[in-house]
Amino acid sequence: MGRRDRAAEIAATGTSVDVGDATTRYLLYGLLPSWFVPGLADWAMHRRTRIEDTAGTKESLIHSLMMAEVGIPIAFTLRYEVNPLLLTVQLGGAAVHEATALWDVRTAVDSDREVRPVEQHIHSFLESLPFGALAALMCLHADQVGSLLRGGRGDPDAWRLVPRRRPLSRGYLAGIGLAIGTCVLLPYGEELLRCVRAARRNRKRTRDEAKWQAKKGR
């Protein structure tokens, strides 16, 4: 069916497609929840390659930093209207997240932790999803993008956080909060704890070996 025929069918039946509403639903109920899947998969790869015995606490802390770089802009977007200030936070977070991702991989490689092809593929999702979400959001709020390019001139609310005019439901926010706790905070908190414990064991082993060598040399 051609485009004209499809348009004629929509006009005849009175059916309309709200692209903005469909895109918003995709972001809220499709892209954001699916983001947790590669995050969990990446944690599983870190565990499989025994991050605690290689890059250790340093890389695990970098992971926490990356989650904050993405999580803070998302939290603001769920609570506040999109305006030049929020777009600046989102763009800055995406840029810093990309730079930190490069630091993360370099840290893993320099530590001799094996970054397997599957993990590299998982990283491609984790890096591209923020840009995809941001691009869709900017299309939804093209007027605010224009305001940002003008420096917010003429808009008294351009550079302050404005609560959403249509707040998201408490149920949705609670569900996202639960997913973050289950799929992000718990696994990556376990990873960091595992790395800290391994570092303590290694330091103790080093001290014990030093003492043994000192006694042996007497």
Side-chain angles (χ1 to χ4, degrees), residues 56-76:
T57 305
K58 179 180 179 180
E59 187 183 358
S60 187
L61 286 173
I62 293 174
H63 297 157
S64 298
L65 176 61
M66 294 171 68
M67 286 181 281
E69 292 164 353
V70 172
I72 291 174
I74 289 177
F76 280 8

Side-chain angles (χ1 to χ4, degrees), residues 28-210:
L28 292 175
Y29 300 101
L31 190 146
L32 182 55
S34 66
W35 211 326
F36 300 123
V37 177
L40 273 175
D42 200 36
W43 166 79
M45 292 303 301
H46 302 159
R47 187 178 181 86
R48 184 177 180 182
T49 54
R50 301 191 63 81
I51 184 175
E52 66 272 19
D53 295 328
T54 51
T57 305
K58 179 180 179 180
E59 187 183 358
S60 187
L61 286 173
I62 293 174
H63 297 157
S64 298
L65 176 61
M66 294 171 68
M67 286 181 281
E69 292 164 353
V70 172
I72 291 174
I74 289 177
F76 280 8
T77 304
L78 293 176
R79 296 297 303 273
Y80 300 102
E81 288 289 328
V82 175
N83 62 5
L85 174 58
L86 191 53
L87 286 173
T88 300
V89 172
Q90 294 163 341
L91 289 167
V96 174
H97 179 267
E98 185 65 19
T100 309
L102 293 173
W103 180 26
D104 173 45
V105 175
R106 180 173 293 278
T107 299
V109 172
D110 289 346
S111 71
D112 293 329
R113 183 174 76 81
E114 183 184 5
V115 183
R116 301 181 180 183
V118 173
E119 183 177 345
Q120 295 177 27
H121 195 58
I122 292 170
H123 288 172
S124 69
F125 282 97
L126 291 172
E127 292 180 41
S128 61
L129 284 173
F131 290 103
L134 186 53
L137 200 66
M138 292 174 74
C139 289
L140 283 173
H141 300 277
D143 58 331
Q144 296 303 318
V145 175
S147 179
L148 174 61
L149 295 175
R150 295 190 301 273
R153 288 192 300 272
D155 183 357
D157 294 332
W159 301 106
R160 71 183 188 90
L161 292 173
V162 180
R164 293 178 65 100
R165 297 180 183 87
R166 296 173 58 190
L168 297 172
S169 70
R170 292 183 180 179
Y172 176 82
L173 294 175
I176 290 297
L178 179 62
I180 291 173
T182 303
C183 302
V184 178
L185 297 181
L186 281 179
Y188 282 93
E190 182 273 338
E191 175 185 285
L192 181 58
L193 180 61
R194 186 161 27 97
C195 290
V196 169
R197 287 175 173 173
R200 288 176 178 172
R201 287 196 302 268
N202 291 337
R203 285 196 296 269
K204 184 178 184 302
R205 187 181 301 114
T206 300
R207 287 196 300 268
D208 291 344
E209 290 178 355

